[in-house]
C-alpha cells in the first residue's frame, strides 16, 4: 500500500515560488534545514518535521510512503491551481492508494478538499506549536469573528458607541451618571437581542401588510387594544397622583387597581380579534384561542382583587360594603365586611369561576367541532 504524505505550503515561501513539489525524504530534510536556518520561529518548520515523522511511522507499520511538499505561488486562485497540478503530478508518478495531509494553519487546511477531490485522504494532521496553542486558537477565533458581518454589527458597533458616549457623558454630567447610563443602555440592548425583539420588529411590517391585504379583524382589535392600554396607563397614573401614600409598593398597587380594568379590556379585545380571525380562516379553532378571552378576564379579576386587598390593609380603601338595594316590596339594608380578605376572596372566586367557564366553553366547542368533522368524513366515505 502506497501512502502519499504531503505538507501544504500555500504561500510558496519554502520553495521560492516554484511551481513544482518538493519530493523525497532527502529533499524535504534539506528544506527543513534551510527553512529553519532562515527563520527558526517559522511554524512551517514544525510542519515539515511532522510530515517526516508521519512518513517514518507509516513505514514502520509496513506502508510504502512518499513524502512531498506542495507549494503555491502566493496568489489565491493561482496558488490553488498550482497545488492541484502538483497533486495530479504526484498521482501520475507514484499512483498512491491514499494520502495523509499535514498542515500548520487554517489557511492551508482550506486546500485539503483539492487533495480529496483527486485522492483518498485518510487523515489530516494539523500541527500547532505547543507553546503557542492558546495564542493561535485565539487568533483564529478572533479572525473568524471579525469575518462575520452580522456579529460585527451586533457586538462591535454597540461597544464602539458605548466607548464613545462614556467620556462625553463623563465630561458633560458626572462619572456616576455616565456609568449608570452606559450600563442601562447595554442592559436594554441585551434584552432587545435576548428576547428576540429585533426579529419581531423585522417581521412586524410584513405582518401588518399581510393583515391589511387579507382584511383580518385582529388588526382593528389590536389598535383598539393599544388604545385601551394607553387609557389604562393614564388612569393608573391619575390614581397614583391622587393617592397620598409615600410607599412605592402602595403606589404600585393603586396603579394596578386603576389600570387593570382597562388593560383587561385591551387583552380581551386583542384575544377576541384573534379568535374571530381563526373562526373565519379555519373550520376548527384550537381550544387555546377559545379560552384566551376568559383567561384574560380571570387574570384581571385576580390582580384587581389582590391590589384592592393591599390597599384596604393600608387604609387607602374603606372596608368592602354591599350597598342597600330596594326592588319593589323587597329591600336589602346592605352589609359591610370588616375582614380585609373578603374582597380578595370574592375576586378570586370570580376569577376561578370565569376560568372554569372558559375551559368548559372551549372543551365543548372543540368536542363539537371534532364530532362534526367525524360525521362529515363518515358521510364522504
Amino acid at each position: 500500500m502506497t501512502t502519499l504524505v504531503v505538507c501544504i505550503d500555500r504561500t510558496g515561501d519554502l520553495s521560492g515560488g516554484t511551481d513544482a513539489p518538493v519530493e523525497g525524504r532527502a529533499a524535504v530534510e534539506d528544506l527543513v534545514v534551510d527553512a529553519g536556518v532562515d527563520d527558526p520561529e517559522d511554524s512551517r518548520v514544525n510542519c515539515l518535521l511532522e510530515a517526516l515523522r508521519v512518513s517514518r511511522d507509516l513505514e514502520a507499520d509496513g506502508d510504502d510512503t512518499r513524502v512531498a511538499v506542495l507549494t503555491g505561488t502566493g496568489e489565491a486562485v493561482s496558488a490553488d491551481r498550482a497545488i492541484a497540478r502538483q497533486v495530479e503530478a504526484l498521482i501520475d508518478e507514484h499512483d498512491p492508494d491514499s494520502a495523509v495531509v499535514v498542515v500548520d494553519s487554517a489557511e492551508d487546511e482550506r486546500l485539503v478538499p483539492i487533495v480529496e477531490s483527486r485522492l483518498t485522504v485518510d487523515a489530516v494532521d494539523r500541527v500547532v506549536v505547543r507553546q503557542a496553542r492558546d495564542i493561535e486558537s485565539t487568533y483564529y477565533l478572533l479572525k473568524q469573528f471579525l469575518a462575520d458581518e452580522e456579529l460585527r454589527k451586533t457586538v462591535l458597533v454597540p461597544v464602539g458607541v458605548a466607548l464613545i458616549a462614556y467620556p462625553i457623558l463623563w465630561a458633560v454630567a458626572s462619572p456616576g451618571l455616565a456609568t449608570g447610563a452606559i450600563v442601562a443602555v447595554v442592559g436594554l440592548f441585551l434584552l432587545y437581542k435576548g428576547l428576540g425583539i429585533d426579529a419581531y420588529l423585522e417581521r412586524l411590517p410584513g405582518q401588518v401588510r399581510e393583515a391589511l391585504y387579507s382584511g383580518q379583524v385582529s388588526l382593528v382589535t389590536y389598535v383598539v387594544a393599544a388604545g385601551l392600554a394607553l387609557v389604562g396607563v393614564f388612569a393608573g397614573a391619575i390614581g397614583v397622583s391622587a393617592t397620598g401614600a409615600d410607599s412605592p409598593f402602595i403606589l404600585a398597587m393603586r396603579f394596578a387597581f386603576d389600570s387593570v380594568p382597562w388593560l383587561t379590556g385591551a387583552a380581551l379585545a386583542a384575544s377576541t380579534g384573534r379568535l374571530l380571525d381563526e373562526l373565519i380562516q379555519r373550520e376548527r379553532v384550537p381550544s387555546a384561542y377559545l379560552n384566551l378571552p376568559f383567561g384574560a378576564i380571570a387574570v384581571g379579576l385576580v390582580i384587581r382583587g389582590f391590589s384592592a386587598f393591599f390597599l384596604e390593609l393600608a387604609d387607602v380603601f374603606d372596608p368592602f360594603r354591599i350597598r342597600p338595594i330596594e326592588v319593589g316590596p323587597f329591600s336589602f339594608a346592605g352589609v359591610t365586611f370588616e375582614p380585609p380578605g373578603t374582597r380578595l376572596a370574592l375576586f378570586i372566586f370570580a376569577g376561578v369561576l370565569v376560568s372554569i367557564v372558559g375551559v368548559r366553553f372551549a372543551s365543548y366547542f372543540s368536542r363539537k367541532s371534532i364530532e362534526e368533522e367525524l360525521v362529515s368524513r363518515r358521510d364522504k366515505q
Side-chain angles (χ1 to χ4, degrees):
M1 181 177 179
T2 302
T3 303
L4 185 64
V5 181
V6 294
C7 178
I8 298 179
D9 173 34
R10 191 168 188 262
T11 60
D13 295 336
L14 291 177
S15 62
T18 59
D19 190 4
V22 179
E23 181 186 353
R25 175 175 290 274
V28 174
E29 290 176 351
D30 294 338
L31 186 60
V32 169
V33 175
D34 294 339
V37 172
D38 291 338
D39 187 4
E41 297 180 352
D42 194 344
S43 63
R44 286 170 295 186
V45 175
N46 300 89
C47 184
L48 297 173
L49 292 172
E50 177 67 11
L52 293 173
R53 185 194 67 80
V54 171
S55 176
R56 183 196 62 188
D57 294 344
L58 291 176
E59 288 180 352
D61 293 337
D63 289 358
D64 184 14
T65 63
R66 297 290 185 272
V67 61
V69 179
L70 306 178
T71 59
T73 58
E75 298 180 0
V77 178
S78 59
D80 296 350
R81 289 183 174 179
I83 296 294
R85 287 194 297 268
Q86 294 172 35
V87 173
E88 293 172 353
L90 292 172
I91 293 175
D92 293 339
E93 182 177 355
H94 301 288
D95 191 22
D97 299 298
S98 61
V100 175
V101 181
V102 183
V103 295
D104 68 331
S105 66
E107 183 180 6
D108 293 338
E109 192 171 354
R110 287 200 295 266
L111 300 180
V112 173
I114 296 178
V115 182
E116 288 180 327
S117 64
R118 293 161 174 81
L119 183 64
T120 302
V121 175
D122 289 342
V124 177
D125 187 0
R126 183 177 179 184
V127 180
V128 179
V129 180
R130 184 177 295 109
Q131 290 83 353
R133 183 181 298 273
D134 295 337
I135 297 176
E136 183 167 352
S137 301
T138 304
Y139 168 75
Y140 284 111
L141 182 62
L142 182 61
K143 186 176 180 180
Q144 183 179 5
F145 169 76
L146 293 177
D148 193 327
E149 183 178 358
E150 184 177 356
L151 284 176
R152 290 203 309 269
K153 293 180 180 179
T154 305
V155 178
L156 296 183
V157 172
V159 171
V161 172
L163 293 177
I164 293 174
Y166 187 76
I168 296 176
L169 293 175
W170 184 299
V172 173
S174 63
L177 179 61
T179 304
I182 295 299
V183 171
V185 171
V186 172
L188 290 175
F189 175 76
L190 293 177
L191 289 176
Y192 176 78
K193 299 296 290 187
L195 297 176
I197 300 176
D198 55 339
Y200 173 75
L201 293 178
E202 185 178 354
R203 296 191 305 266
L204 185 60
Q207 294 176 352
V208 173
R209 185 170 57 253
E210 181 182 356
L212 287 172
Y213 292 157
S214 60
Q216 294 181 359
V217 181
S218 59
L219 179 63
V220 179
T221 59
Y222 286 161
V223 175
V224 174
L228 291 175
L230 290 176
V231 174
V233 173
F234 186 71
I238 293 176
V240 169
S241 62
T243 304
D246 296 330
S247 173
F249 180 76
I250 298 302
L251 295 177
M253 292 299 101
R254 184 56 191 263
F255 179 86
F257 182 83
D258 292 331
S259 63
V260 157
W262 297 97
L263 297 178
T264 302
L268 184 61
S271 59
T272 303
R274 184 63 177 172
L275 176 60
L276 292 176
D277 284 342
E278 294 294 328
L279 289 172
I280 294 172
Q281 296 174 3
R282 300 184 184 182
E283 296 180 357
R284 184 164 64 91
V285 180
S287 59
Y289 290 106
L290 295 171
N291 192 34
L292 194 56
F294 296 93
I297 296 175
V299 172
L301 288 172
V302 172
I303 294 177
R304 188 172 172 87
F306 274 101
S307 60
F309 172 73
F310 289 116
L311 292 174
E312 188 175 344
L313 287 179
D315 293 332
V316 178
F317 286 172
D318 295 330
F320 182 65
R321 180 173 181 270
I322 300 178
R323 296 180 180 180
I325 300 174
E326 291 186 5
V327 180
F330 301 99
S331 63
F332 176 70
V335 62
T336 300
F337 296 95
E338 292 295 337
T342 305
R343 190 199 306 259
L344 175 62
L346 291 176
F347 273 99
I348 292 178
F349 175 77
V352 173
L353 181 62
V354 172
S355 179
I356 293 175
V357 171
V359 171
R360 296 295 299 173
F361 177 82
S363 61
Y364 171 76
F365 277 94
S366 297
R367 184 172 63 251
K368 185 176 180 181
S369 59
I370 293 174
E371 293 175 354
E372 291 177 353
E373 184 177 354
L374 293 176
V375 171
S376 61
R377 287 183 180 179
R378 188 174 57 216
D379 293 340
K380 291 179 181 179
Q381 294 176 355

